[in-house]
Amino acid sequence: MTRFLRDEAATIALASEVYRALPEDHAGWMILLTGELGAGKSTFARALIKAAGHGGSVPSPTYTLVEPYKLASGNIYHIDLYRISAEDELYYLGFDELDDGLCLVEWPDRAPRLAEAADLLVELRYEGPARHATLVGHSERGHALTLKIN
Ligand SMILES: Nc1ncnc2c1ncn2[C@@H]1O[C@H](COP(=O)(O)OP(=O)(O)OP(=O)(O)O)[C@@H](O)[C@H]1O
Ligand SMILES: [Mg+2]
């Protein structure tokens, strides 16, 4: 599934649609967000977390690596791997304990082993001043989700 995102509002709208296409219990889901610096990965993650009912701010997890959100709709973990130097760091940090929530992962290419468990890839590309999104299902349920979005 691909979509032209003419502006930030279109990126936000797509993230809300993805949230609404998830099952009510989205624990254990993993969505990878890829794209160059400034492509809109955090914009997408922030919009999805807000669509899930979070009313406060959504700080960047660049330094903390993980920002957890305990929401009435379930847990969401916003993860940014930009600064990890070795994949093993993840396991020291307890990344194997995040399976009780939905994981949104920026820079997943930093941790190929983690990314193997993904359900959905959201690839954001620059297209002039705008963006282009490609959604690819990496699991059966992730593929089914892409079919609900058009
Ligand atoms: N469809 C769009 N068209 C044009 N601009 C957009 C679009 N979507 C988001 N933006 C803008 O692009 C910027 C994206 O910043 P954002 O922090 O989300 O990128 P990022 O991919 O997370 O970057 P980083 O790699 O540094 O984490 C923001 O200024 C946002 O307003
Ligand atoms: Mg970001």
Side-chain angles (χ1 to χ4, degrees):
M1 180 267 161
T2 69
R3 185 184 293 180
F4 176 67
L5 303 172
R6 63 189 314 262
D7 54 20
E8 185 187 38
T11 304
I12 292 169
L14 178 62
S16 312
E17 282 175 52
V18 168
Y19 179 73
R20 291 195 302 268
L22 283 165
E24 204 173 315
D25 179 8
H26 44 61
W29 276 69
M30 191 189 298
I31 299 178
L32 309 180
L33 302 168
T34 66
E36 292 169 42
L37 283 170
K41 303 178 293 295
S42 295
T43 303
F44 186 100
R46 194 173 296 122
L48 194 151
I49 291 162
K50 291 191 170 179
H54 178 66
S57 66
V58 179
S60 169
T62 305
Y63 294 95
T64 53
L65 287 181
V66 189
E67 288 288 340
Y69 296 87
K70 309 273 178 200
L71 305 173
S73 58
N75 297 337
I76 300 183
Y77 299 105
H78 182 195
I79 299 161
D80 186 339
L81 302 179
Y82 190 67
R83 306 192 79 85
I84 68 157
S85 47
E87 188 159 15
D88 284 347
E89 274 181 45
L90 292 181
Y91 302 96
Y92 301 128
L93 288 163
F95 267 60
D96 39 354
E97 287 159 29
L98 302 183
D99 52 5
D100 64 343
L102 161 66
C103 292
L104 300 172
V105 187
E106 297 187 43
W107 295 101
D109 41 311
R110 300 283 198 270
R113 262 194 293 152
L114 179 89
E116 271 172 28
D119 292 292
L120 182 69
L121 168 66
V122 178
E123 206 177 345
L124 297 161
R125 288 177 194 282
Y126 281 86
E127 193 162 315
R131 306 289 188 274
H132 194 94
T134 304
L135 268 57
V136 183
H138 276 204
S139 66
E140 216 161 293
R141 63 187 184 177
H143 177 69
L145 185 148
T146 64
L147 300 178
K148 291 200 224 165
I149 295 175
N150 40 46

Short mmCIF file of all heavy atoms in Angstrom, two decimals, residues 5-11 35-44 46 60 62 80 82 106-107 124 126 129-132, ligand 1:
data_model
loop_
_atom_site.label_atom_id
_atom_site.label_comp_id
_atom_site.label_asym_id
_atom_site.label_seq_id
_atom_site.Cartn_x
_atom_site.Cartn_y
_atom_site.Cartn_z
N LEU A 5 1.82 11.75 0.68
CA LEU A 5 1.48 12.55 1.87
C LEU A 5 1.86 14.00 1.58
O LEU A 5 3.02 14.38 1.69
CB LEU A 5 2.25 12.02 3.09
CG LEU A 5 2.04 10.54 3.45
CD1 LEU A 5 3.02 10.11 4.55
CD2 LEU A 5 0.59 10.28 3.89
N ARG A 6 0.87 14.79 1.21
CA ARG A 6 1.18 16.13 0.70
C ARG A 6 1.71 17.07 1.78
O ARG A 6 2.44 18.01 1.49
CB ARG A 6 -0.02 16.74 0.00
CG ARG A 6 -1.23 16.97 0.90
CD ARG A 6 -2.44 17.38 0.06
NE ARG A 6 -2.06 18.41 -0.92
CZ ARG A 6 -2.26 19.72 -0.74
NH1 ARG A 6 -2.84 20.16 0.35
NH2 ARG A 6 -1.89 20.57 -1.67
N ASP A 7 1.33 16.82 3.04
CA ASP A 7 1.79 17.68 4.13
C ASP A 7 1.76 16.91 5.45
O ASP A 7 1.36 15.74 5.48
CB ASP A 7 0.94 18.97 4.21
CG ASP A 7 -0.55 18.66 4.31
OD1 ASP A 7 -0.90 17.51 4.69
OD2 ASP A 7 -1.36 19.54 4.02
N GLU A 8 2.17 17.61 6.52
CA GLU A 8 2.23 16.95 7.82
C GLU A 8 0.86 16.38 8.23
O GLU A 8 0.78 15.30 8.83
CB GLU A 8 2.73 17.94 8.88
CG GLU A 8 2.94 17.30 10.22
CD GLU A 8 3.28 18.29 11.32
OE1 GLU A 8 2.70 19.41 11.34
OE2 GLU A 8 4.11 17.95 12.17
N ALA A 9 -0.21 17.11 7.90
CA ALA A 9 -1.55 16.65 8.27
C ALA A 9 -1.85 15.29 7.64
O ALA A 9 -2.53 14.44 8.24
CB ALA A 9 -2.59 17.69 7.85
N ALA A 10 -1.34 15.07 6.44
CA ALA A 10 -1.57 13.78 5.76
C ALA A 10 -0.81 12.66 6.45
O ALA A 10 -1.30 11.52 6.55
CB ALA A 10 -1.16 13.88 4.29
N THR A 11 0.37 12.96 6.97
CA THR A 11 1.14 11.97 7.73
C THR A 11 0.38 11.60 9.00
O THR A 11 0.26 10.42 9.36
CB THR A 11 2.54 12.52 8.08
OG1 THR A 11 3.20 12.92 6.87
CG2 THR A 11 3.38 11.49 8.81
N GLY A 35 13.07 5.72 7.17
CA GLY A 35 13.15 6.93 6.36
C GLY A 35 14.29 7.78 6.85
O GLY A 35 14.72 7.66 7.99
N GLU A 36 14.76 8.65 5.95
CA GLU A 36 15.90 9.51 6.30
C GLU A 36 15.57 10.44 7.45
O GLU A 36 14.41 10.59 7.83
CB GLU A 36 16.27 10.37 5.08
CG GLU A 36 16.84 9.59 3.91
CD GLU A 36 16.93 10.48 2.67
OE1 GLU A 36 17.33 11.66 2.81
OE2 GLU A 36 16.58 10.00 1.59
N LEU A 37 16.61 11.14 7.93
CA LEU A 37 16.43 12.17 8.97
C LEU A 37 15.33 13.14 8.52
O LEU A 37 15.36 13.64 7.40
CB LEU A 37 17.73 12.97 9.13
CG LEU A 37 18.86 12.32 9.92
CD1 LEU A 37 20.13 13.14 9.75
CD2 LEU A 37 18.49 12.20 11.38
N GLY A 38 14.37 13.36 9.39
CA GLY A 38 13.32 14.33 9.10
C GLY A 38 12.23 13.84 8.16
O GLY A 38 11.37 14.62 7.72
N ALA A 39 12.23 12.56 7.85
CA ALA A 39 11.23 12.03 6.90
C ALA A 39 9.83 12.02 7.51
O ALA A 39 8.83 11.99 6.77
CB ALA A 39 11.63 10.63 6.45
N GLY A 40 9.75 12.00 8.85
CA GLY A 40 8.43 12.03 9.48
C GLY A 40 8.12 10.85 10.38
O GLY A 40 6.97 10.63 10.76
N LYS A 41 9.15 10.11 10.76
CA LYS A 41 8.95 8.93 11.62
C LYS A 41 8.35 9.32 12.97
O LYS A 41 7.38 8.72 13.43
CB LYS A 41 10.30 8.19 11.82
CG LYS A 41 10.97 7.77 10.52
CD LYS A 41 12.31 7.09 10.73
CE LYS A 41 13.38 7.99 11.28
NZ LYS A 41 13.78 9.10 10.38
N SER A 42 8.92 10.36 13.59
CA SER A 42 8.40 10.79 14.90
C SER A 42 7.03 11.43 14.75
O SER A 42 6.18 11.29 15.64
CB SER A 42 9.36 11.78 15.57
OG SER A 42 10.58 11.13 15.88
N THR A 43 6.82 12.13 13.66
CA THR A 43 5.49 12.73 13.41
C THR A 43 4.44 11.63 13.37
O THR A 43 3.37 11.74 13.98
CB THR A 43 5.51 13.49 12.06
OG1 THR A 43 6.53 14.48 12.10
CG2 THR A 43 4.17 14.13 11.78
N PHE A 44 4.78 10.55 12.68
CA PHE A 44 3.86 9.42 12.56
C PHE A 44 3.64 8.77 13.94
O PHE A 44 2.50 8.51 14.34
CB PHE A 44 4.45 8.40 11.57
CG PHE A 44 3.54 7.25 11.24
CD1 PHE A 44 2.81 7.24 10.07
CD2 PHE A 44 3.41 6.17 12.11
CE1 PHE A 44 1.96 6.18 9.76
CE2 PHE A 44 2.56 5.11 11.81
CZ PHE A 44 1.84 5.12 10.64
N ARG A 46 4.06 10.03 16.96
CA ARG A 46 3.35 10.95 17.85
C ARG A 46 1.85 10.94 17.54
O ARG A 46 1.02 10.89 18.45
CB ARG A 46 3.93 12.36 17.65
CG ARG A 46 3.56 13.36 18.69
CD ARG A 46 4.32 14.67 18.48
NE ARG A 46 5.75 14.50 18.66
CZ ARG A 46 6.68 14.78 17.75
NH1 ARG A 46 6.34 15.26 16.56
NH2 ARG A 46 7.96 14.59 17.99
N SER A 60 10.81 13.03 22.19
CA SER A 60 11.60 12.12 21.36
C SER A 60 12.37 11.14 22.22
O SER A 60 12.99 11.52 23.21
CB SER A 60 12.59 12.92 20.52
OG SER A 60 13.49 12.03 19.91
N THR A 62 15.08 9.75 21.55
CA THR A 62 16.44 9.64 21.01
C THR A 62 17.46 9.31 22.10
O THR A 62 18.33 8.47 21.90
CB THR A 62 16.84 10.94 20.28
OG1 THR A 62 15.86 11.19 19.29
CG2 THR A 62 18.19 10.80 19.61
N ASP A 80 13.46 4.65 19.75
CA ASP A 80 14.30 5.25 18.71
C ASP A 80 15.71 4.67 18.86
O ASP A 80 16.39 4.93 19.86
CB ASP A 80 14.32 6.78 18.88
CG ASP A 80 15.07 7.47 17.74
OD1 ASP A 80 15.89 6.82 17.07
OD2 ASP A 80 14.82 8.67 17.53
N TYR A 82 18.33 5.21 16.98
CA TYR A 82 19.36 5.96 16.26
C TYR A 82 20.71 5.91 16.96
O TYR A 82 21.75 5.80 16.33
CB TYR A 82 18.91 7.41 16.08
CG TYR A 82 19.80 8.19 15.16
CD1 TYR A 82 19.85 7.88 13.81
CD2 TYR A 82 20.59 9.24 15.62
CE1 TYR A 82 20.66 8.59 12.95
CE2 TYR A 82 21.40 9.96 14.77
CZ TYR A 82 21.44 9.63 13.43
OH TYR A 82 22.25 10.32 12.57
N GLU A 106 11.69 3.56 15.59
CA GLU A 106 12.41 4.38 14.61
C GLU A 106 13.83 3.83 14.48
O GLU A 106 14.41 3.37 15.43
CB GLU A 106 12.47 5.84 15.06
CG GLU A 106 11.09 6.47 15.15
CD GLU A 106 11.15 7.98 15.43
OE1 GLU A 106 11.98 8.68 14.84
OE2 GLU A 106 10.35 8.42 16.26
N TRP A 107 14.40 3.90 13.30
CA TRP A 107 15.75 3.41 12.98
C TRP A 107 15.90 1.91 13.32
O TRP A 107 16.88 1.51 13.95
CB TRP A 107 16.82 4.25 13.70
CG TRP A 107 16.85 5.66 13.20
CD1 TRP A 107 16.30 6.74 13.83
CD2 TRP A 107 17.38 6.14 11.96
NE1 TRP A 107 16.48 7.87 13.06
CE2 TRP A 107 17.13 7.54 11.91
CE3 TRP A 107 18.02 5.53 10.87
CZ2 TRP A 107 17.51 8.32 10.83
CZ3 TRP A 107 18.41 6.31 9.80
CH2 TRP A 107 18.16 7.69 9.80
N LEU A 124 8.92 5.92 4.96
CA LEU A 124 8.61 7.31 4.58
C LEU A 124 9.74 7.84 3.70
O LEU A 124 10.91 7.73 4.07
CB LEU A 124 8.44 8.16 5.83
CG LEU A 124 7.27 7.74 6.73
CD1 LEU A 124 7.42 8.31 8.14
CD2 LEU A 124 5.94 8.16 6.13
N TYR A 126 11.13 11.14 1.07
CA TYR A 126 10.95 12.51 0.60
C TYR A 126 10.45 12.48 -0.84
O TYR A 126 10.92 11.69 -1.66
CB TYR A 126 12.27 13.27 0.62
CG TYR A 126 12.66 13.74 2.01
CD1 TYR A 126 13.36 12.91 2.88
CD2 TYR A 126 12.33 15.02 2.43
CE1 TYR A 126 13.72 13.35 4.14
CE2 TYR A 126 12.69 15.46 3.70
CZ TYR A 126 13.38 14.63 4.54
OH TYR A 126 13.74 15.06 5.79
N PRO A 129 8.96 18.61 -1.48
CA PRO A 129 8.74 19.09 -0.12
C PRO A 129 7.78 18.19 0.66
O PRO A 129 7.58 18.38 1.86
CB PRO A 129 8.12 20.48 -0.34
CG PRO A 129 7.43 20.37 -1.67
CD PRO A 129 8.22 19.38 -2.49
N ALA A 130 7.18 17.22 -0.01
CA ALA A 130 6.19 16.34 0.61
C ALA A 130 6.82 14.98 0.94
O ALA A 130 8.04 14.86 1.00
CB ALA A 130 5.00 16.18 -0.34
N ARG A 131 5.99 14.00 1.20
CA ARG A 131 6.48 12.66 1.54
C ARG A 131 5.65 11.63 0.81
O ARG A 131 4.53 11.88 0.38
CB ARG A 131 6.36 12.40 3.05
CG ARG A 131 7.01 13.43 3.95
CD ARG A 131 8.53 13.38 3.90
NE ARG A 131 9.11 14.26 4.92
CZ ARG A 131 9.33 15.56 4.75
NH1 ARG A 131 9.06 16.15 3.58
NH2 ARG A 131 9.85 16.29 5.73
N HIS A 132 6.21 10.41 0.78
CA HIS A 132 5.50 9.28 0.20
C HIS A 132 5.64 8.14 1.21
O HIS A 132 6.73 7.88 1.70
CB HIS A 132 6.13 8.91 -1.14
CG HIS A 132 5.28 7.99 -1.93
ND1 HIS A 132 4.40 8.45 -2.89
CD2 HIS A 132 5.13 6.66 -1.88
CE1 HIS A 132 3.77 7.41 -3.40
NE2 HIS A 132 4.19 6.31 -2.81
N1 LIG B 1 3.87 14.64 4.52
C1 LIG B 1 4.69 15.63 4.91
N2 LIG B 1 5.04 16.62 4.05
C2 LIG B 1 5.88 17.60 4.43
N3 LIG B 1 6.44 17.70 5.68
C3 LIG B 1 6.12 16.75 6.56
C4 LIG B 1 5.24 15.67 6.23
N4 LIG B 1 5.12 14.87 7.31
C5 LIG B 1 5.89 15.40 8.27
N5 LIG B 1 6.49 16.54 7.83
C6 LIG B 1 7.44 17.40 8.54
O1 LIG B 1 8.72 16.79 8.47
C7 LIG B 1 9.38 16.87 9.72
C8 LIG B 1 9.57 15.45 10.22
O2 LIG B 1 10.20 15.46 11.45
P1 LIG B 1 10.24 14.14 12.33
O3 LIG B 1 10.90 14.50 13.59
O4 LIG B 1 8.88 13.53 12.37
O5 LIG B 1 11.17 13.22 11.44
P2 LIG B 1 11.95 11.89 11.83
O6 LIG B 1 11.85 11.01 10.63
O7 LIG B 1 11.45 11.36 13.11
O8 LIG B 1 13.44 12.41 11.99
P3 LIG B 1 14.66 11.73 12.81
O9 LIG B 1 15.34 10.83 11.84
O10 LIG B 1 15.52 12.90 13.17
O11 LIG B 1 14.12 11.01 14.00
C9 LIG B 1 8.50 17.71 10.62
O12 LIG B 1 8.95 19.04 10.54
C10 LIG B 1 7.11 17.56 10.00
O13 LIG B 1 6.32 18.70 10.19
#
